Amino acid sequence: GLSGGALPPTDGVLIVTSRMRRILSVDVADRRAVVEPGVTNLAITEAVRDLGYYYAPDPSSQQVCTIGGNVAENSGGAHCLKYGFTVNHVLALEIVTPDGDIVELSDTDPGYDLLGAFVGSEGTLGIATKVTVRLTRAPETVTTLLAAFDGIEQGGQAVSAIIGGGIVPAAIEMMDALAIEAAEAAVACAYPEGAGAVLIVELDGPVPEVTHQFDEVTRICRENGAFELRVAADPAERAAIWKGRKSAFAAVGRISPAYIVQDGVVPRTALPEVLASIDRLSREYGIRVANVFHAGDGNLHPLVLFDDAEAGAGERAGLVSGKILDLCVEHGGSITGEHGVGVDKSRYMPKMFSDDDLDTMQLVRCAFDPRGLSNPGKVFPTPRLCGEVPGVRKGVHPLVESGQAEQF
């Protein structure tokens, strides 16, 4: 995982579900499929494409990432602006609790939304063994366009104008000059020469609606300084436009020996200011930062580049990475959009949540896992004792000392 969510603890036991990769059933009439957690994200779409359906959440790693991992992290993807995250497409789960019970969670269960609590819990509440996912009907038409701008500020203004105009594209993605350079080196995506930023906009739905939205989007892009517009004429050209964006994370390995993949969220309106601050941090610390992000919902993926053979470079890169998260919180955003907290970001949780917030979250965890067996040491900066008074985090709790409770 991208936040260390699957790192094993010392003397821990790993339960690996990657061989559980069967698609158990497909029910087109009810628009659902039941799969095991080791099934890859893209495999679901490939299984139902000829039936006119697909699985909407599409992380860039969809060829290799598994549904079990997507459930753990509540993964997103380029098309989540319109269609939502994993939690919006999981209808039911079979889980094994830390006590060994097999439990069914469903979106039709009365009472608390336990299904919603489990999705995105990063393995801390139990293990998913079956996942019932929603299948989405393939749209009547899809139009993909690429707009090239001199700089990222112009592209950001175009994004704000598109969303402000009441248009909700299926996807709206942006890459800056450094990310474009990496993609060109890796996959020769042939984006417009000299572009300081490219914007990928995908529209889908009924033909009349998409035609109207396309006219509006192209007008907005031109009014905001796009010097070149490309429109995919067929699926092959659509794939070519997406090729550079989908390869961006791995591609930076062509221009940097080491890098940190960051993941934060800011309000769309704060994008220009936050990106300018990231640029200042880059220059101040002498660390290059390539920006790739889901522009429509403000989910940033800065790629912090450094040479691990250079003394002090890793430490400077870590500082820049942390300060980017600080920027996200300061502007009313989040320390993670879809990559999770894991071990990498647990120290930033108190910057976003109060002690009362964290206590409440851990009480939920204790309800599922009172002995702290499931993915210990993740998410929370200071794991608490189940059964202790909220807010008490020092010393050994009397219940632990007497053997009536166990410590994380």
Side-chain angles (χ1 to χ4, degrees):
L2 291 172
S3 60
L7 292 175
T10 303
D11 299 326
V13 175
L14 294 178
I15 299 177
V16 183
T17 60
S18 58
R19 291 188 179 181
M20 298 174 67
R21 46 179 180 257
R22 294 178 298 166
I23 296 178
L24 299 172
S25 66
V26 173
D27 185 343
V28 171
D30 282 339
R31 299 190 177 189
R32 61 180 58 203
V34 181
V35 305
E36 292 182 327
V39 171
T40 60
N41 177 289
L42 187 59
I44 300 176
T45 292
E46 290 175 339
V48 299
R49 181 180 286 124
D50 291 344
L51 302 174
Y53 289 84
Y54 71 109
Y55 180 63
D58 61 335
S60 295
S61 57
Q62 66 181 150
Q63 292 185 349
V64 295
C65 68
T66 64
I67 290 299
N70 291 175
V71 167
E73 303 291 355
N74 190 23
S75 300
H79 291 80
C80 288
L81 172 63
K82 181 174 182 178
Y83 291 101
F85 283 65
T86 298
V87 70
N88 304 113
H89 297 268
V90 172
L91 302 175
L93 292 171
E94 177 191 88
I95 70 167
V96 177
T97 71
D99 287 334
D101 296 326
I102 298 175
V103 177
E104 299 279 346
L105 303 178
S106 170
D107 62 350
T108 61
D109 292 339
Y112 295 119
D113 181 14
L114 298 181
L115 177 66
F118 192 94
V119 177
S121 61
E122 302 191 34
T124 61
L125 304 184
I127 301 165
T129 49
K130 289 181 186 176
V131 185
T132 302
V133 299
R134 186 192 312 277
L135 301 177
T136 301
R137 183 75 182 178
E140 181 181 358
T141 190
V142 178
T143 296
T144 306
L145 64 94
L146 181 145
F149 298 87
D150 290 328
I152 205 161
E153 184 175 345
Q154 294 170 307
Q157 291 169 346
V159 171
S160 294
I162 290 168
I163 303 298
I167 300 170
V168 182
I172 183 164
E173 301 283 299
M174 191 179 293
M175 300 168 62
D176 70 2
L178 192 54
I180 295 168
E181 177 190 340
E184 292 290 356
V187 298
C189 52
Y191 287 163
E193 188 174 347
V198 294
L199 188 65
I200 299 172
V201 183
E202 190 154 278
L203 307 165
D204 67 9
V207 171
E209 177 184 325
V210 170
T211 300
H212 171 72
Q213 290 182 340
F214 173 77
D215 292 341
E216 288 296 297
V217 168
T218 54
R219 175 186 62 79
I220 289 169
C221 287
R222 289 194 178 99
E223 288 178 353
N224 284 278
F227 67 82
E228 185 174 338
L229 289 172
R230 295 180 184 175
V231 182
D234 53 42
E237 291 189 6
R238 179 189 176 202
I241 287 176
W242 278 109
K243 188 176 182 181
R245 170 61 187 90
K246 291 285 188 178
S247 68
F249 285 6
V252 294
R254 295 295 186 97
I255 63 171
S256 178
Y259 58 96
I260 299 169
V261 178
Q262 197 46 279
D263 165 52
V265 182
V266 297
R268 278 191 303 270
T269 53
L271 275 172
E273 184 178 349
V274 171
L275 291 170
S277 296
I278 291 174
D279 182 60
R280 286 194 295 272
L281 287 171
S282 173
R283 288 185 275 107
E284 178 182 349
Y285 287 90
I287 294 291
R288 295 184 299 166
V289 180
N291 288 293
V292 181
F293 51 97
H294 307 311
D297 56 10
N299 189 185
L300 304 174
H301 293 311
L303 305 168
V304 183
L305 316 184
F306 65 100
D307 184 350
D308 49 359
E310 178 188 336
E315 288 77 9
R316 296 201 313 277
L319 280 172
V320 170
S321 179
K323 287 181 179 294
I324 289 173
L325 293 183
D326 290 341
L327 285 171
C328 291
V329 175
E330 289 165 9
H331 286 81
S334 169
I335 62 172
T336 179
E338 54 182 336
H339 294 175
V341 176
V343 294
D344 182 48
K345 297 183 181 180
S346 61
R347 64 188 182 277
Y348 297 103
M349 290 285 277
K351 295 187 176 184
M352 186 173 172
F353 298 106
S354 69
D355 284 349
D356 287 342
D357 292 331
L358 294 172
D359 276 331
T360 301
M361 293 179 196
Q362 296 204 65
L363 286 172
V364 173
R365 177 175 185 172
C366 288
F368 278 81
D369 184 17
R371 292 185 291 164
L373 299 176
S374 193
N375 212 9
K378 308 297 169 54
V379 180
F380 299 104
T382 309
R384 55 177 272 118
L385 311 178
C386 293
E388 73 173 330
V389 178
V392 178
R393 291 195 177 93
K394 295 182 180 179
V396 178
H397 193 276
L399 288 176
V400 174
E401 199 165 36
S402 65
Q404 297 178 53
E406 294 187 36
Q407 188 167 0
F408 275 76

